[in-house]
Amino acid sequence: MTYPIAALITSYVDGAYLAPRAGSHHLPVINPSTEAVIAHLQEADGAEVDLAVRAAARSYAEGTWRRLPTERRAAILRRVCELTEQHARELCWLESIDLGIPASQAPAAVIARVVRNFSFYADHLSQGAERAVRLDDRYQRYVHRDPVGVCALISPWNAPLMLATSKIAPALAFGNSCVIKTSEYTPLALHRFMALLTEAGVPCGVVNLVNGRGEVTGASLVAHEAVGLVSFTGGGAAGRRIAAVAGAGLKKCDLELGGKSACIVSDSADLDQAVDGALLGIFGNAGQMCFAGSRILLQRRIADAFLERFLARANAIRVGDPFDPATEMGPLAYAAHLERVLAYCRPAAGDGVSVLAGGARAGDGPGYFMAPTVLMADSPAVRVCQEEVFGPVATVLQYDHFDEAVALANHTRYGLAGYLWSNRLDESMAAAQSIRTGALMINSPMVFDLRMPFGGVGESGVGREGIESLRNFYSEEKAVAIAARPLPVAPRLGAAVRLDH
């Protein structure tokens, strides 16, 4: 089944899609499986971004969302969940056609997580409570929260709808209005989702969408004087530019950037389980994941046994049409990205890197398909071990003692996630205490719990996502103290002066 796609994808402002704008710059939206142009995207310039931000600012000033009773806001978030499930087939289809995620994986990777994003914050609205304290009988003290105001939300192309809604949901939950910009490469599902938000009851102007490149649309959005908060998920170079602009404007800023996560396999591990986890950790979503376990660190005694199984399975992964039920890995998202990833797989003599599997395009037809790739590295200092590839490329290193594995894991400027496959308590505890990373999964692939923090250290970003962190990010705490009874004010300044009437 197919669904209609607008020939021109435009911004969504004040509850409606904008009309085509004369003289606007158009960007092609390309199906990565066929290389065919699906639609064109009207890029939002500074004036169009200003229109969207002002719509958000107006809705915030009028209080159409932030002043709604909490139970009403929670009910609307739950209605978003219902509409998402009702339109699941369409949203999955759109996500597959411009990102390339296998359709068989999209319900769990997209719909379930979008629903979770909104249902979690609906639950929080009905269950969360603030602090109230009394130190003595003189004052009642409590914390009151205010929304920040207008939030600029910038999400990436590798999980367009899921990551966009992971920002929209908490921004709404805490009473903000927002403008979101997703990637120009994968705009379709979020573009459709905007109308569902309005249908669910989100007032016009509270959530607005602008489309375009980071250097044009994103830059205008971050710099806008009415924006009070910036949430960005993406690459490090863009993150630095955003942080500089946000800092100059004293805007709250959260950055979730790249990763070069280690996947340690101990000689005590269940090898079958470790192979399953390592394969999913690097070849899921064609490796286009910030938390991908791209550096596989093998204890030397079990390295050959692990690699025999890992390589056989990697070579057997079915790469192809996302709409074929048998497909396990789709294409990379766009042409320039495919070429960038392939460049890491062409080591020259003396580089200290050898190709064990893959390293080339998959198939001989159109589409940005790439074979699952495994590289062996002689040193953790080689380029492919230090730079985020963001594709289906695993790099293997070996170690003898566990403290060496920890050192290898920390031999990176990133620190977003880490994985350990081990059945030894001492190794698990050592990893938890010594690996410099924002998340550590032991005997498990990555799982998300919105109650827990997610974010990185080093060049993996600044800030955390998770209920406690995001509550403080998307709202401002106000400490209130109420005198419980009339109290003398001391010292009584100027009390010695007599006032004659």
Side-chain angles (χ1 to χ4, degrees):
M1 177 180 285
T2 61
Y3 296 87
I5 299 174
L8 185 64
I9 306 299
T10 62
S11 297
Y12 191 86
V13 177
D14 227 355
Y17 296 106
L18 296 185
R21 175 167 43 85
S24 60
H25 182 65
H26 293 177
L27 301 165
V29 181
I30 296 172
N31 183 333
S33 300
T34 65
E35 302 184 40
V37 175
I38 312 166
H40 284 84
L41 190 75
Q42 177 173 286
E43 183 167 60
D45 60 8
E48 193 167 300
V49 169
D50 179 68
L51 188 68
V53 174
R54 292 191 182 280
R58 184 172 57 254
S59 75
Y60 184 78
E62 293 171 352
T64 54
W65 175 253
R66 64 185 172 90
R67 289 182 180 149
L68 283 180
T70 297
E71 61 182 11
R72 177 62 183 147
R73 276 191 278 155
I76 291 173
L77 296 185
R78 295 196 192 284
R79 180 60 179 153
V80 174
C81 298
E82 294 172 2
L83 290 173
T84 299
E85 291 177 326
Q86 290 175 20
H87 294 270
R89 288 181 180 273
E90 179 183 8
L91 295 171
C92 287
W93 183 80
L94 292 168
E95 201 90 322
S96 292
I97 205 169
D98 69 356
L99 173 62
I101 184 173
S104 62
Q105 300 171 14
V110 180
I111 301 304
R113 293 175 71 180
V114 170
V115 169
R116 178 60 173 155
N117 286 337
F118 285 94
S119 65
F120 178 88
Y121 285 100
D123 290 343
H124 178 75
L125 283 175
S126 63
Q127 299 175 20
E130 291 295 344
R131 288 165 289 165
V133 298
R134 291 188 69 179
L135 181 63
D136 49 40
D137 63 351
R138 296 189 301 167
Y139 292 97
Q140 175 66 61
R141 302 173 189 268
Y142 69 93
V143 172
H144 171 83
R145 286 187 182 271
D146 291 313
V148 173
V150 177
C151 303
L153 313 176
I154 304 177
S155 61
W157 52 260
N158 62 307
L161 188 57
M162 187 279 288
L163 287 175
T165 58
S166 74
K167 299 178 186 296
I168 294 171
L172 288 179
F174 298 110
N176 299 280
S177 293
C178 58
V179 179
I180 186 158
K181 189 202 89 69
T182 191
S183 170
E184 66 273 23
Y185 295 109
T186 54
L188 299 182
L190 183 60
H191 183 261
R192 175 68 180 96
F193 189 76
M194 298 302 294
L196 299 184
L197 289 173
T198 300
E199 183 180 346
V202 177
C204 295
V206 172
V207 182
N208 305 274
L209 166 71
V210 290
N211 299 297
R213 293 166 293 177
E215 61 269 27
V216 177
T217 309
S220 297
L221 178 58
V222 172
H224 199 288
E225 63 182 4
V227 166
L229 173 156
V230 181
S231 175
F232 172 76
T233 299
R240 284 183 169 86
R241 292 193 295 270
I242 287 169
V245 174
L250 297 179
K251 306 172 193 283
K252 298 178 82 171
C253 187
D254 178 270
L255 305 172
E256 199 270 276
L257 307 177
K260 194 67 185 173
S261 302
C263 175
I264 302 172
V265 182
S266 162
D267 58 358
S268 70
D270 179 320
L271 283 192
D272 288 331
Q273 187 184 45
V275 168
D276 286 342
L279 287 163
L280 183 62
I282 187 56
F283 299 128
N285 200 27
Q288 299 169 134
M289 305 175 293
C290 56
F291 52 82
S294 55
R295 294 181 297 143
I296 300 178
L297 313 182
L298 303 177
Q299 206 283 336
R300 200 174 304 276
R301 286 200 317 113
I302 52 88
D304 289 344
F306 178 93
L307 283 173
E308 181 181 6
R309 303 180 202 191
F310 187 82
L311 292 172
R313 292 273 297 280
N315 288 326
I317 291 174
R318 289 167 290 198
V319 180
D321 178 5
F323 295 102
D324 182 342
T327 293
E328 296 175 292
M329 193 176 93
L332 273 67
Y334 57 98
H337 182 55
L338 171 64
E339 290 306 314
R340 175 185 172 279
V341 174
L342 286 172
Y344 285 96
C345 306
R346 303 178 184 122
D351 283 354
V353 177
S354 56
V355 179
L356 302 184
R361 297 185 68 150
D364 53 8
Y368 309 133
F369 298 101
M370 180 175 171
T373 297
V374 184
L375 307 177
M376 178 69 80
D378 292 344
S379 163
V382 300
R383 175 171 171 253
V384 76
C385 287
Q386 290 298 311
E387 299 180 9
E388 185 178 39
V389 178
F390 216 67
V393 179
T395 306
V396 177
L397 291 159
Q398 296 186 37
Y399 70 91
D400 292 302
H401 304 289
F402 194 74
D403 56 353
E404 182 185 354
V406 171
L408 288 171
N410 287 335
H411 196 281
T412 174
R413 60 183 186 273
Y414 295 102
L416 184 60
Y419 305 87
L420 170 63
W421 300 91
S422 170
N423 284 317
R424 287 180 51 170
L425 178 61
D426 61 334
E427 291 180 340
S428 299
M429 295 301 294
Q433 294 171 12
S434 303
I435 294 180
R436 188 171 173 268
T437 185
L440 179 65
M441 306 303 303
I442 298 175
N443 293 330
S444 174
M446 177 58 69
V447 291
F448 293 95
D449 186 331
L450 297 181
R451 296 169 299 177
M452 301 298 287
F454 179 79
V457 298
E459 294 194 16
S460 286
V462 177
R464 292 291 184 273
E465 297 188 355
I467 183 58
E468 292 184 14
S469 301
L470 292 185
R471 181 174 57 202
N472 289 325
F473 183 60
Y474 285 106
S475 66
E476 299 287 7
E477 290 182 299
K478 181 186 297 178
V480 179
I482 302 175
R485 52 185 170 81
L487 298 172
V489 178
R492 298 182 63 225
L493 303 179
V497 176
R498 290 187 57 183
L499 298 177
D500 296 324
H501 298 286

